[in-house]
Amino acid sequence: MARRRGIMSDHLKEEIAKELGFYDTVQQEGWGGIRARDAGNMVKRAIEMAEQNMQQKGKSE
């Protein structure tokens, strides 16, 4: 089975993990070590950030 390439950059994932407080787990165990809830919260935060970015772009146009 081919593995899909992630949409989020590693830098963004690390930034969000630090913000949400589970980056230590990522460093120790890798991305497979985080809880499903943390992964969901990370996706939720990335969506929030994207929506904010889109709103800011819309205001500047």
Side-chain angles (χ1 to χ4, degrees), residues 2-47:
R3 188 161 189 161
R4 284 182 25 171
R5 197 171 132 225
I7 294 175
M8 285 195 289
S9 70
D10 287 338
H11 177 74
L12 178 61
K13 289 192 291 189
E14 291 171 2
E15 181 181 318
I16 294 171
K18 288 175 185 175
E19 181 180 323
L20 297 177
F22 58 87
Y23 185 67
D24 290 341
T25 302
V26 173
Q27 286 185 309
Q28 293 173 3
E29 302 176 31
W31 290 106
I34 66 172
R35 299 178 305 175
R37 176 174 287 179
D38 290 334
N41 287 338
M42 188 169 70
V43 171
K44 182 179 177 181
R45 180 65 182 123
I47 292 169

Side-chain angles (χ1 to χ4, degrees), residues 30 35 37 53 60-61:
R35 299 178 305 175
R37 176 174 287 179
N53 191 19
S60 66
E61 291 179 9

